[in-house]
Amino acid sequence: MNSTTAAELDLYQDVVMDHKRAPRRFGTLPAPTHQARGQNPSCGDDLQVTLNVAQGQIEDIRFSGQGCAICIASASMMTEAVHGGDVAVAQQLHQRFRAVLTGELEPEAAHLGKLISLAGVRRYPGRIKCALLGWHALMHALDEKS
Ligand code: ZN
């Protein structure tokens, strides 16, 4: 097996492809308290995140749009990871996820849960924006005063 094949197998793990095939929480909330759009022109990824936040908790979240497998799978996994949780916890998870992808933190030390499936993206600098796009939109949405 050559290294390219091995790398691609690593990058496109089953769990990532499963989320690409069947994105979780895909759609748009009818009356969101927060929303934001994220675009990654270098890849053509374009996502919108809508959420309902109350008392510092993400009570509901949806994402919609189009993008590559890494972008869609990462956004899908993000919505599962933060749904029903505290805004502060989501922000901390984003920090750790980003630190793993940029090489500042080792995946084993980051307590990423299922997001560890995306840790292989750190070896593909051109795809890191794809994996972070949904998170950037989420953080942007949470920063907006509604
Ligand atoms: Zn992409």
Side-chain angles (χ1 to χ4, degrees):
M1 183 184 292
N2 68 45
S3 60
T4 303
T5 305
E8 284 177 358
L9 283 174
D10 181 56
L11 184 58
Y12 295 101
Q13 286 192 27
D14 284 352
V15 61
V16 173
M17 290 315 294
D18 179 54
H19 276 265
K20 165 61 178 169
R21 273 193 300 268
R24 317 300 199 271
R25 314 198 73 77
F26 193 85
T28 308
L29 293 172
T33 59
H34 298 68
Q35 59 183 311
R37 185 177 177 188
Q39 292 173 288
N40 177 19
S42 63
C43 184
D45 306 321
D46 187 350
L47 294 183
Q48 187 183 29
V49 174
T50 56
L51 55 164
N52 285 328
V53 177
Q55 280 90 47
Q57 271 209 325
I58 299 172
E59 296 191 330
D60 210 348
I61 178 168
R62 297 281 191 283
F63 83 99
S64 62
Q66 56 192 353
C68 64
I70 293 296
C71 171
I72 297 297
S74 181
S76 173
M77 295 172 81
M78 173 192 79
T79 61
E80 283 203 318
V82 305
H83 176 240
D86 289 344
V87 167
V89 171
Q91 290 167 332
Q92 289 158 14
L93 184 57
H94 167 246
Q95 297 279 338
R96 297 200 303 277
F97 184 57
R98 189 179 59 188
V100 165
L101 292 187
T102 57
E104 295 159 50
L105 189 63
E106 289 308 308
E108 297 76 18
H111 307 291
L112 291 180
K114 292 177 180 176
L115 300 182
I116 193 108
S117 304
L118 291 159
V121 176
R122 75 210 305 254
R123 291 195 297 276
Y124 303 85
R127 310 311 297 279
I128 292 172
K129 275 187 190 170
C130 303
L132 288 174
L133 185 65
W135 284 97
H136 283 160
L138 173 61
M139 293 303 123
H140 186 60
L142 290 171
D143 284 343
E144 297 282 311
K145 297 283 174 280
S146 60

